[in-house]
Amino acid sequence: MKRRVPKPLLIVLLVVLLAYPAFQLFLLGYTGVRMLIASQERHEVVYKVTGTAEQPDVSYVRDGQRDSVDVKYAALPWQSQTLKTKGSTQLLSVSALQQLDDRGSVRCEIWMDGKLVESKDSAIKGLSVHCMYTP
């Protein structure tokens, strides 16, 4: 004698088996669309270095790339040109390296779309400073 599965239970099992993969595809598509939109976002970034240090070497990352720009013996206050960046998963970074005999202070800032998103002061006079931000 064959055992029969009740129809309501069969319907529930069928719905669960079909709904779960459909839901996963929906989430994957939603996440993909969000990532695509985020990668198209444009931001304006400005790096600033201020303080009493005398001509530190400034280094910053341009456009979220790994290539950096080095500015030797920068006069303070120093500010980068407004950089146009694309995407939200980039790394923004600026640092100021003081000369060996310099006992001044130094501060770095990262501004994104007109808002201060990261800032640090050298903990002790004569030390360098590094700011990093990932949107």
Side-chain angles (χ1 to χ4, degrees):
M1 185 164 167
K2 277 187 176 179
R3 217 173 144 188
R4 296 184 74 199
V5 178
K7 285 187 179 183
L9 182 59
L10 216 96
I11 292 171
V12 168
L13 284 172
L14 186 62
V15 166
V16 168
L17 288 174
L18 292 177
Y20 182 73
F23 181 68
Q24 291 297 321
L25 285 173
F26 167 75
L27 286 180
L28 181 63
Y30 176 73
T31 303
V33 168
R34 285 189 63 208
M35 288 174 65
L36 179 64
I37 290 170
S39 70
Q40 299 303 313
E41 290 178 354
R42 295 200 181 274
H43 301 284
E44 290 186 352
V45 174
V46 175
Y47 298 113
K48 295 181 181 181
V49 177
T50 58
T52 61
E54 293 182 25
Q55 298 181 323
D57 293 337
V58 174
S59 180
Y60 63 95
V61 176
R62 180 180 41 224
D63 195 24
Q65 305 288 325
R66 292 198 185 275
D67 73 90
S68 64
V69 176
D70 297 320
V71 180
K72 297 286 186 190
Y73 307 111
L76 297 185
W78 175 89
Q79 176 175 318
S80 71
Q81 295 178 334
T82 301
L83 306 169
K84 305 281 187 188
T85 65
K86 184 177 175 182
S88 64
T89 57
Q90 62 209 3
L91 172 72
L92 303 175
S93 173
V94 61
S95 61
L97 177 64
Q98 296 187 48
Q99 308 304 321
L100 288 176
D101 57 347
D102 191 350
R103 295 291 169 225
S105 63
V106 67
R107 173 184 177 85
C108 63
E109 297 177 348
I110 300 175
W111 292 77
M112 179 181 245
D113 299 327
K115 296 178 185 172
L116 180 64
V117 294
E118 179 68 25
S119 67
K120 285 190 182 159
D121 292 304
S122 55
I124 301 173
K125 287 188 176 188
L127 290 183
S128 299
V129 69
H130 181 240
C131 289
M132 189 167 49
Y133 178 71
T134 304

